[in-house]
Structures are given as C-alpha cells and as structure tokens.
C-alpha cells in the first residue's frame, strides 16, 4: 500500500529522526536531521555503537540510545538492516534477533519505521564521505565515473551497486553473498568437500565472512589431522597477523583469494568502472595480509576480463558511520519525494 507523504515533507526536513545500521554483530545508531551545512546535507546530533548480543531485541537497544541521547520525543526512524523484508519482519539468519516492524514502532512510540538493506545504505553513502576515504588496495589510485560497488564480509557477505545519474545516484541492492561458491584451487576444493561432504549448495558468504573464516580454519585443521586451537574469527585473524598459527594464516589467504574472485565477478557484472569499496573493520584489521594475498590476481580473473578489471580501482574502508549516513540520505531523499518504500506508518505496512 502506498503512503502519501505530501503532508509531512516539511516536518521530515526539520525534525530529528533516528537512523540505525543494524548488522549481525554491531548496531550503529544516530540521531540525525537535515542540514544545509553538513556532509550530504545531514547533521549528526548523537551517535553510538552497541553490541547486538547485549540486548534481547532491537526495540530495547534503540530505547537505550533514546534514553541516553535523545532529549525530545522522536517519531521517525530509518533502519539499515542485513536481510530482506517479508511482510512485517526483517528476515536474515545473521541478525541477532527477529525484527518485527509493528512491534518496534509501538514499543518506541514511533509514527513511522522505514527500512532498507544495510549495503543499500552504504551505497547511498557514496554520495558523501565514503567515496573519498579508504586505503588503496589495487588498480588505479584515482577516482573515475561509472558504476561503483560496495562489498563487505562481516557476519555475512553484503554487496550493492551505485549507478551515477544526473538526478543523484541510483542504488541496486543484491543478495550476491548467497551465490554459489566456486573453488579456484585444489585446497579450496578440499575445504569445500569438507564443508559439504555430500555435495550441494554452499554460499559465498559461508566462505567469505567472519563465520566463514572460522569454518575454513576448522576445515584446514581437520585436513591436517589437528584439533582447532582457535574458537572465534577474531582469534583466527589475530593469529594470522601474528603468524602464530599456520592454519590461521592459510585460512586468511583462502578468504582473501575467494573475496578477490567474488569481487571480480561483481565488477564484471556491473562494469564497475567507478571502483569498488570493500567495507568493514574486519578487512581493515587484515589489510596488510589482504594486500599481500592472491586477492588482486583472483580479482583480475582470466585474460579476456583483465583489460576491464585492471582499470577498476579497489579501496578498503571502515564501515564506521557510513551506514547511518547513507540510511539518512536515503530516508530524506525518498521520504521527501513521496517515494518511500518499506515502511510501517500508523500501523499500515508498505
């Protein structure tokens, strides 16, 4: 059901609203409002990062932010979430809890909750500071025009494309992390066989993600006849950076190489001449290992694709506040144009 926003355009532009970037591990929450002076025309009034596991549901997490940082009643909220909206629920296996939009609206006394995909929000942030930050990984170290990708392995594996246009960028969401993983080396075939001994579907995000890294490490230990000593993705990356565990080092190498294949695939699909941004603290923490890995060679693919892909710049950037910035930009743009999607307003789903 469409929602007529014409009677509240002025209100949205003046009133502070909540913007939250909800991942599988962390939630980044901000109080924001439109501004003619800030980056992208948005002013951040307050900002906090929460551990999702510390709260039994999203409404309590957001209430903790409101109690700490919001002085006046707030009636509008935009969520950037991993997953897809099915009816009244945001569905994703990587979220810490189910998100029911009507329950959230009622618990916080909101007039409206709007939702978009978390990597869709990051792609909208390319209209702001995200496009000018990051560490150069490979390809030309210059910014050029054309479609741009934002890709990020974290609790899952997300990706979105930003297509430039005179009226402002258009963003295409994807579920690219759910594509079938294709091994490129004999070792990757062994790991895949360990993960799926009877064959069948293994998604890229089961390899290229934090949990995927732990799965690779566990598989390598089994292949070497060893008992895994490390129990978390963070422990694996720490050991790999310190070169203190051979299987951890190899696991990170496999993840980086597989990420190169995945990124090159998407760069070819979208003809990403504007570049690729690899987002998230996970990759930033292993940047030097990523730079020395087979990422670039796997990104470039074979001879026929190399001419295109060698001209695509790739940067690694922190996730940071970009998700809430992009969600706020999306909300102001679509809400004020009357084209808001995925909303629960006055108890009516759209």
């Amino acid at each position: 059901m469409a929602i007529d926003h014409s009677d509240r355009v002025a209100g949205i532009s003046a009133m502070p609203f909540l913007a939250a970037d909800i991942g599988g591990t962390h939630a980044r929450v901000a109080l924001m409002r439109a501004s003619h002076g800030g980056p992208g025309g948005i002013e951040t009034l307050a900002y906090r990062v929460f551990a999702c596991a510390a709260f039994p549901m999203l409404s309590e997490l957001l209430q903790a932010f409101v109690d700490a940082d919001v002085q006046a009643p707030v009636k509008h909220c935009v969520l950037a979430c991993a997953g897809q909206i099915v009816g009244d629920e945001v569905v994703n296996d990587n979220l810490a809890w189910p998100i029911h939009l009507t329950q959230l609206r009622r618990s916080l006394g909101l007039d409206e909750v709007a939702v978009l995909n978390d990597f869709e929000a990051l792609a909208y942030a390319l209209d702001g500071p995200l496009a000018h930050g990051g560490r150069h990984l490979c390809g030309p170290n210059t910014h050029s025009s054309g479609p741009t990708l934002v890709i990020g392995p974290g609790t899952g594996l997300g990706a979105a494309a930003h297509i430039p246009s005179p009226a402002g960028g258009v963003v295409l969401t994807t579920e690219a992390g759910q594509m079938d993983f294709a091994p490129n080396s004999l070792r990757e075939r062994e790991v895949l066989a360990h993960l799926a001994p009877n064959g069948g579907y293994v998604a890229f995000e089961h390899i290229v993600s934090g949990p995927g890294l732990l799965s690779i490490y566990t598989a390598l230990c089994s292949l070497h006849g060893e008992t895994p000593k490390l129990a978390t993705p963070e422990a694996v990356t720490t050991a790999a950076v310190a070169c203190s565990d051979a299987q951890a080092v190899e696991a990170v190498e496999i993840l980086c190489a597989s990420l190169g294949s995945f990124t090159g695939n998407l760069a070819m699909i979208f003809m990403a001449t504007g570049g690729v941004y690899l987002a998230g603290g996970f990759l930033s923490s292993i940047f030097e290992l990523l730079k020395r890995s087979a990422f670039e060679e796997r990104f470039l693919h074979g001879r026929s694709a190399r001419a295109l892909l060698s001209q695509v710049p790739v940067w690694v950037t922190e996730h940071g506040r970009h998700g809430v910035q992009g969600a706020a930009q999306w909300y102001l743009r679509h809400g004020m144009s009357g084209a808001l999607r995925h909303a629960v307003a006055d108890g009516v789903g759209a």
Side-chain angles (χ1 to χ4, degrees):
M1 182 182 298
I3 300 174
D4 181 6
H5 298 273
S6 58
D7 62 345
R8 64 178 182 85
V9 168
I12 287 182
S13 63
M15 293 172 53
F17 60 93
L18 296 177
D21 179 12
I22 312 298
T25 304
H26 295 103
R28 297 166 173 86
V29 188
L31 181 67
M32 312 190 86
R33 68 182 175 194
S35 169
H36 296 296
I42 298 170
E43 181 181 1
T44 301
L45 304 175
Y47 174 82
R48 287 180 186 259
V49 180
F50 298 91
C52 294
F55 297 88
M57 60 181 63
L58 178 58
S59 57
E60 294 194 21
L61 186 154
L62 293 178
Q63 188 64 57
F65 176 82
V66 170
D67 292 343
D69 292 295
V70 179
Q71 306 302 319
V74 62
K75 292 297 183 180
H76 299 270
C77 176
V78 55
L79 301 177
C81 292
Q84 299 295 324
I85 298 174
V86 179
D88 187 54
E89 184 178 355
V90 179
V91 178
N92 188 292
D93 291 339
N94 295 321
L95 291 174
W97 3 248
I99 297 176
H100 297 282
L101 300 176
T102 298
Q103 180 273 330
L104 182 66
R105 180 183 61 82
R106 290 174 177 167
S107 295
L108 294 172
L110 298 168
D111 289 341
E112 176 181 82
V113 179
V115 185
L116 73 162
N117 179 269
D118 58 342
F119 271 82
E120 184 179 9
L122 280 176
Y124 273 102
L126 287 169
D127 288 329
L130 178 57
H132 307 289
R135 287 185 283 180
H136 179 249
L137 180 62
C138 63
N141 192 8
T142 56
H143 295 271
S144 58
S145 61
T148 306
L149 295 174
V150 181
I151 295 171
T155 307
L157 177 59
H162 180 282
I163 313 299
S165 72
V170 174
V171 172
L172 303 178
T173 60
T174 81
E175 283 293 338
Q178 303 305 315
M179 296 190 304
D180 285 279
F181 172 72
N184 188 272
S185 67
L186 293 177
R187 177 62 93 189
E188 288 172 15
R189 291 182 185 179
E190 292 176 330
V191 169
L192 182 60
H194 184 272
L195 297 178
N198 298 316
Y201 165 67
V202 174
F204 249 105
E205 78 167 14
H206 293 167
I207 301 290
V208 184
S209 64
L213 176 63
L214 187 60
S215 295
I216 298 169
Y217 169 76
T218 302
L220 291 173
C221 289
S222 178
L223 291 170
H224 284 276
E226 299 179 0
T227 301
K229 302 180 184 69
L230 308 173
T232 66
E234 293 79 11
V236 176
T237 56
T238 299
V241 170
C243 295
S244 60
D245 185 295
Q247 276 64 59
V249 171
E250 187 176 6
V252 169
E253 289 173 348
I254 290 174
L255 182 143
C256 292
S258 300
L259 176 61
S261 293
F262 176 82
T263 304
N265 286 342
L266 292 188
M268 286 188 286
I269 290 170
F270 289 100
M271 300 289 284
T273 54
V276 177
Y277 292 83
L278 302 176
F282 173 51
L283 293 181
S284 293
S285 70
I286 59 168
F287 179 79
E288 293 304 324
L289 294 180
L290 180 63
K291 197 167 183 66
R292 297 196 300 267
S293 75
F295 174 92
E296 182 175 10
E297 186 58 32
R298 293 277 287 271
F299 172 77
L300 292 172
H301 281 66
R303 193 172 65 186
S304 60
R306 189 172 293 254
L308 165 69
L309 294 175
S310 63
Q311 298 304 309
V312 176
V314 181
W315 292 275
V316 174
T317 182
E318 291 280 359
H319 194 127
R321 303 189 183 196
H322 297 309
V324 293
Q325 286 278 345
Q329 289 182 14
W330 173 87
Y331 183 59
L332 290 174
R333 181 188 302 182
H334 291 82
M336 294 174 70
S337 70
L340 191 65
R341 301 166 297 142
H342 303 327
V344 171
D346 300 325
V348 180

